[in-house]
Amino acid sequence: SYGYPLILIKDDVKRQYYQLLADIQVYNGNVDLFHCFIAEQVLKSQQLILTALNGKSIDEPDDLDKEIE
């Protein structure tokens, strides 16, 4: 991980993630928007990890769909 925190890009935000990357790479887009997006995902990922470490359920409604695919 080279010192960077774990980050989970969930299916419901992947399109936004790819769009922000494309905007930067192709159109020289605003990198600050990407940084804000990543910061939000880091915070969500860290919260998920803390929830799991505290022994609470981290199940999501679409977990069964993930197993089937």
Side-chain angles (χ1 to χ4, degrees):
S1 75
Y2 299 99
Y4 293 103
L6 174 70
I7 183 171
L8 303 169
I9 305 293
K10 294 187 176 189
D11 289 341
D12 61 328
V13 295
K14 275 188 185 171
R15 175 168 277 172
Q16 182 182 6
Y17 170 73
Y18 289 132
Q19 186 63 53
L20 288 167
L21 279 178
D23 287 349
I24 292 167
Q25 293 175 339
V26 177
Y27 304 112
N28 214 10
N30 185 349
V31 74
D32 290 336
L33 294 175
F34 180 74
H35 291 161
C36 286
F37 173 83
I38 293 297
E40 288 174 15
Q41 301 313 308
V42 168
L43 289 173
K44 288 179 183 178
S45 297
Q46 294 297 307
Q47 186 58 51
L48 183 67
I49 291 168
L50 289 173
T51 299
L53 288 173
N54 285 322
K56 297 179 183 172
S57 174
I58 57 170
D59 290 341
E60 296 179 329
D62 63 345
D63 282 348
L64 180 61
D65 294 336
K66 292 176 191 171
E67 290 178 17
I68 293 172
E69 290 179 20

